[in-house]
Structure formats: C-alpha cells, structure tokens
Amino acid sequence: MARDPRQQARDRLSALGDPPAADTTAAHRLQKDAALLGRLLAAAGEQNNDGHAPHVDPDDVGAALGLFETMRHQLDRLETQVVIEARRRGLDWRQIARYQGLNSSQAASQRYQRLMTRLEEIRQGVR
C-alpha cells in the first residue's frame, strides 16, 4: 500500500531538525495559534453533567475567531517564502504547481502573484 505523499513530505521535513529554542518565526506563531484553536475546540467538545461545555464562553470563541486573520497572513507569508525558496533552488512553475496541487504553471504563478499583492496591501495598510 502506497504511503500518503503528504505524510512522506511531513516525514522528510521532520528530519531536517528541531527549530531553535527561541523560535519566533511565522511558522512557530502559526503553530502556537493552531494549538490554541485545538485547545478551544477540545474544551468546547467536552460536556459536563448539565450538558454544557465547561470553561468556554462567547469571549473565548470570539478570541479564537480573531486569530484567523492573523493566521491567514502568516500562512500567506510562509507560502510566499517557500515559493521563493523553491524558485531559488531551481524549481520551475510547473513543478511548484504539482507540489501545490494546482493544474498548471500559470495557476502557480498567478497564486504567487496574488499572495504577493495581498501581503503588500497588508503591509501598506490597505487590507
């Protein structure tokens, strides 16, 4: 039975080593925020004797919703950085498209351009 290619990619990336102890990269912040969302959902899924989720109030859910815009921005930055690294290492747009699950090199290039535009708009305060 063939292994999931995404799991193979995770295994390869895991072998690259541990992040520095004081990791403040966008990837680390994204990981922390995703863990917080997981904690909220786990707590919300728990039920106490009266059928309500303990320790989760509307402000907790609102705080979780507030994380998504920042997480999207962090994901955009990370994807852009990885695409730049892919190009720097000689991957062409066709190869990048295949890894991203896109159908064409044009789709990959356009996606990158949209990401760059969105990040620039955020930087300038337009978004």
Side-chain angles (χ1 to χ4, degrees), residues 65-125:
L65 288 170
L67 293 176
F68 284 101
E69 189 61 30
T70 300
M71 292 175 73
R72 281 186 191 92
H73 179 226
Q74 291 168 349
L75 276 172
D76 289 350
R77 283 185 54 213
L78 288 169
E79 184 174 351
T80 301
Q81 290 170 340
V82 172
V83 169
I84 290 168
E85 185 63 23
R87 295 289 293 156
R88 194 166 86 50
R89 300 212 175 240
L91 274 72
D92 61 31
W93 287 111
R94 181 183 45 77
Q95 292 168 304
I96 291 169
R98 184 172 47 95
Y99 283 118
Q100 290 180 316
L102 300 172
N103 292 326
S104 69
S105 58
Q106 181 180 9
S109 177
Q110 288 173 344
R111 179 176 174 148
Y112 172 74
Q113 290 302 319
R114 281 192 303 273
L115 286 171
M116 290 297 290
T117 299
R118 190 163 50 226
L119 289 171
E120 184 59 22
E121 288 173 350
I122 290 167
R123 189 187 72 73
Q124 292 180 1

Side-chain angles (χ1 to χ4, degrees), residues 19-29 31-32:
D23 191 356
T24 59
T25 62
H28 183 70
R29 289 189 303 274
Q31 179 183 13
K32 286 174 61 176

Side-chain angles (χ1 to χ4, degrees), residues 9-19:
R10 286 182 189 96
D11 293 344
R12 286 179 55 89
L13 295 173
S14 294
L16 292 176
D18 293 328

